[in-house]
Amino acid sequence: MPSALLAQDAATFYAAQSAFSDPSGLGRLYAGLPDDPAHLARAARDLMVHRLEGEPFRHVITQDRLHNDAETRYFDDIFRIIIERNDAPLTQRREVGDRFVGVCRDFALLYCSFLRHAGIPARLRSGFADYFGSDGFNDDHVVTEYWGNERAGCSPIRSWPTRWSAPR
């Protein structure tokens, strides 16, 4: 998907998988993924559960999963765990117990990889977010930024798109 907001060389760079987002030998499993950013965000969201979401899902996340999944840093290893737990197509929503237990970085990285597979320039952005509570505390947070006809981003934890009006 070409972007009017990025120079061609930048769009090419951000649309290519990196050492961090490459699914390695598992890229064949991306067949059948949609190419729409909103649908890709939903697909990524349905493969993972945030480490703090057990209670809202009425699911007990075991200590070994909290520890072992959290210690998985490389995307291809995260992706292998997702597939080992349930090898259904990536567009099929996983039961909470079959999902990878991660944090915002893991969600953002999976989403970025999906977007890049679709040819959509994307990258991870990190910073601080004040929208998790009303106590004035800013949590560290990672989101995916992508470019299409406009610059946009998505916080995969809540899977909502955010539009930015001016490119940076």
Side-chain angles (χ1 to χ4, degrees):
M1 174 184 297
S3 171
L5 299 178
L6 287 178
Q8 185 58 47
D9 59 337
T12 300
F13 177 80
Y14 287 120
Q17 297 290 7
S18 69
F20 296 101
S21 65
D22 191 345
S24 297
L26 298 173
R28 69 190 184 292
L29 300 174
Y30 281 19
L33 281 174
D35 59 6
D36 172 68
H39 289 106
L40 290 170
R42 182 82 258 162
R45 181 67 179 98
D46 288 345
L47 297 172
M48 294 188 173
V49 61
H50 190 277
R51 61 180 288 110
L52 300 177
E53 288 184 315
E55 188 177 318
F57 278 106
R58 295 187 172 96
H59 178 81
V60 175
I61 299 173
T62 61
Q63 284 300 317
D64 67 313
R65 294 278 298 277
L66 286 169
H67 174 75
N68 294 333
D69 286 14
E71 291 301 315
T72 307
R73 299 280 190 253
Y74 295 98
F75 178 71
D76 56 340
D77 293 331
I78 291 170
F79 197 54
R80 275 188 194 84
I81 289 171
I82 291 169
I83 300 308
E84 286 171 3
R85 290 189 181 147
N86 185 329
D87 65 354
L90 298 176
T91 54
Q92 183 176 324
R93 183 184 180 121
R94 304 307 201 258
E95 295 296 325
V96 176
D98 288 342
R99 296 181 189 191
F100 182 84
V101 179
V103 294
C104 55
R105 177 226 176 243
D106 304 314
F107 284 95
L109 186 58
L110 178 62
Y111 184 42
C112 182
S113 183
F114 284 179
L115 288 164
R116 288 175 172 178
H117 173 75
I120 300 169
R123 67 181 176 177
L124 272 60
R125 300 291 305 261
S126 61
F128 297 93
D130 63 358
Y131 47 78
F132 292 115
S134 58
D135 61 0
F137 185 77
N138 293 326
D139 293 303
D140 63 311
H141 191 39
V142 180
V143 298
T144 307
E145 178 181 43
Y146 63 91
W147 294 267
N149 293 330
E150 55 189 68
R151 183 171 165 237
C154 184
S155 176
I157 292 179
R158 295 187 181 168
S159 295
W160 74 74
T162 303
R163 305 280 181 227
W164 292 305
S165 58
R168 292 189 136 172

